[in-house]
Amino acid sequence: MLRGFTLKKLLIGIAVLLVVVIAALLIGPSFVNWNNHKADIIAAVRDATGRELAINGDISLRIIPAPALSVHDVRLAGLPDNDKGTDGDAAPLLHLKALEVRVALAPLISGEVQVTSVGLIEPRLVLEGLPDGRANWQFETAATGAGAQAGALSSGGAGNEAGLALSLDKLTVEKATVIYRDHRSGVAEKIENIELEGSASSLQGPFRFIGTAAARGLPLGFDLSLDALAGNKPVGVRLTLELAGDAAKAAFSGRVEGLETAPRLIGQLELSAGNVAAVHNALLKSGQAPPLLQQPLQLKAALEASAKAATLNDIDLTFGPLQGGGAVTATLGDSPSYDLALAISRLDLDRLLEGAGEADGKSGTSGSSEGDANGASAPGEALIPALPANLNGSVVVTVEGVRYRGGVVSQVQLDASAENGVLRLERLSALLPGGSDLRLSGDAQTQDGVPHFKGSVDLASNNLRGLLTWLDANPANIPAGRLANMVLTSDFTINPQQAQ
């Protein structure tokens, strides 16, 4: 009896001890001052990124009812010699007001890390491209170098190869700001008020992000999905962007190739807008868009883009009454070049210019007299565009038929190119009403700061009266039988002061 009682007390004692030990394991971390480990965390981040990390707030960790980590006021430095902004304030790559991480307790027993939620509170990300070509988001350490770091990130890192199973049920971002500055081009953009929710099945994906933001003061909605990352294999991408509700929408579906070497985006792009003028005014906020842009837009194309070039092939374009197709190629860099080929089946200019003519008519007469009085730009300046000296490219546009002034202009062809600041009009030709054939060619360039155009014109008509009638020149007072045929060949010059 005594032996049984003693054994019972022993078992109870062992049970109590186990409870105390388990409680200590679960509750103990909550009483540890994790701020004493800041130096270890900072050193680990420095070894991984080559950047300094500052943790100005508290670090706390608890295990029950579920493991949870929180860190406050975190800053990750930018490039060592670019840690000051133009206003003299510190400009870290990342400033985070708070980070909150929660992990499910039960899966930890089997070695699986199931992150139930990650919360980023008021993160501020500043991405900068420096004049020397470096970028503050490119990490490099003495031990591994930038290339090895990028490879480790894209392939999932050694942790996953060791068998760590990690999933993310929910990611939330509150009041985030992303700033981009390119000090070489002077481009600066800011996206703020970012609210985001996301998830990931593992560190390699697949990923899903949905949220809202504001760019240039305009509300944006986005939905991004990425397939699982697998080394250098293609990764599926699906992205939808909405501007100001349903004012404009962009959708992309495709893949990213060469993720570890030279990333390339390939897929189908769709753009739509109910009123291009409204989108123009909302984005640029620098005056009203031309009435000509008050048209709906639909565009579908095959997109291929990299850091060096971008192409749009198989373009299917509808802009109001305009319908056409073609291709665009752009080569980026210090000497950009652009090539456009567009074939338009039909173009109703009368319909496209409805409303635009009235607006131009109201401002045309008074605007010209005021412009002359105030020394404003002469009409010739608007006809002669000033091109950047480093811009090269070509434009080829063909139109089967154009309805204009109640007549039909057919077989329209525009062939132009730009090189070293010179715009060369190889050919602008069309068959006009009245059996008339028109052809223009010439060069536009700037000399001594003054733009001018030198060219030639060829016009042949076998029904000049019909051509003048179409142009509202009213040849009714000229006797019949006259104005039957005409052939005109001439050189001409246009500058801001005169045309001759």
Side-chain angles (χ1 to χ4, degrees), residues 407-429:
V408 176
V409 180
S410 59
Q411 299 182 28
V412 180
Q413 180 174 339
L414 169 65
D415 190 348
S417 62
E419 184 176 4
N420 299 325
V422 177
L423 174 62
R424 178 165 290 108
L425 180 61
E426 307 285 356
R427 174 190 179 103
L428 175 58
S429 61

Side-chain angles (χ1 to χ4, degrees), residues 102-249:
R102 298 177 183 273
V103 179
L105 183 59
L108 288 175
I109 300 174
S110 60
E112 177 185 352
V113 180
Q114 181 183 348
V115 181
T116 57
S117 69
V118 172
L120 304 178
I121 312 301
E122 296 186 26
R124 179 183 174 89
L125 180 65
V126 180
L127 304 175
E128 291 188 290
L130 304 185
D132 59 9
R134 293 180 301 154
N136 71 339
W137 62 84
Q138 296 173 341
F139 297 119
E140 184 172 0
T141 64
T144 60
Q149 287 293 327
L153 289 173
S154 61
S155 63
N160 290 298
E161 293 175 2
L164 175 63
L166 189 150
S167 62
L168 174 60
D169 293 343
K170 183 179 182 181
L171 168 69
T172 60
V173 177
E174 300 179 11
K175 297 181 180 179
T177 300
V178 177
I179 298 173
Y180 172 76
R181 302 190 191 106
D182 188 335
H183 293 280
R184 289 193 293 181
S185 64
V187 174
E189 294 291 344
K190 181 178 181 181
I191 304 176
E192 53 191 346
N193 296 329
I194 301 173
E195 302 285 337
L196 178 148
E197 289 191 3
S199 62
S201 298
S202 70
L203 286 178
Q204 289 79 41
F207 307 92
R208 176 79 183 275
F209 304 100
I210 303 174
T212 59
R216 299 189 178 187
L218 298 175
L220 294 173
F222 59 89
D223 187 340
L224 172 64
S225 297
L226 297 172
D227 292 342
L229 307 178
N232 207 35
K233 294 182 179 179
V235 179
V237 180
R238 292 161 296 282
L239 172 65
T240 301
L241 291 173
E242 293 184 350
L243 172 65
D246 58 354
K249 183 177 181 180

Side-chain angles (χ1 to χ4, degrees), residues 255-309:
R255 65 190 185 276
V256 178
E257 295 185 352
L259 189 61
E260 294 184 352
T261 53
R264 206 162 40 118
L265 191 64
I266 302 173
Q268 294 295 316
L269 175 68
E270 295 187 18
L271 300 175
S272 62
N275 188 325
V276 176
V279 176
H280 172 280
N281 295 337
L283 290 176
L284 300 183
K285 297 183 179 179
S286 57
Q288 293 296 311
L292 185 67
L293 295 181
Q294 294 182 357
Q295 305 290 336
L297 170 71
Q298 292 282 343
L299 183 144
K300 296 180 181 180
L303 170 67
E304 182 171 342
S306 67
K308 297 181 179 180

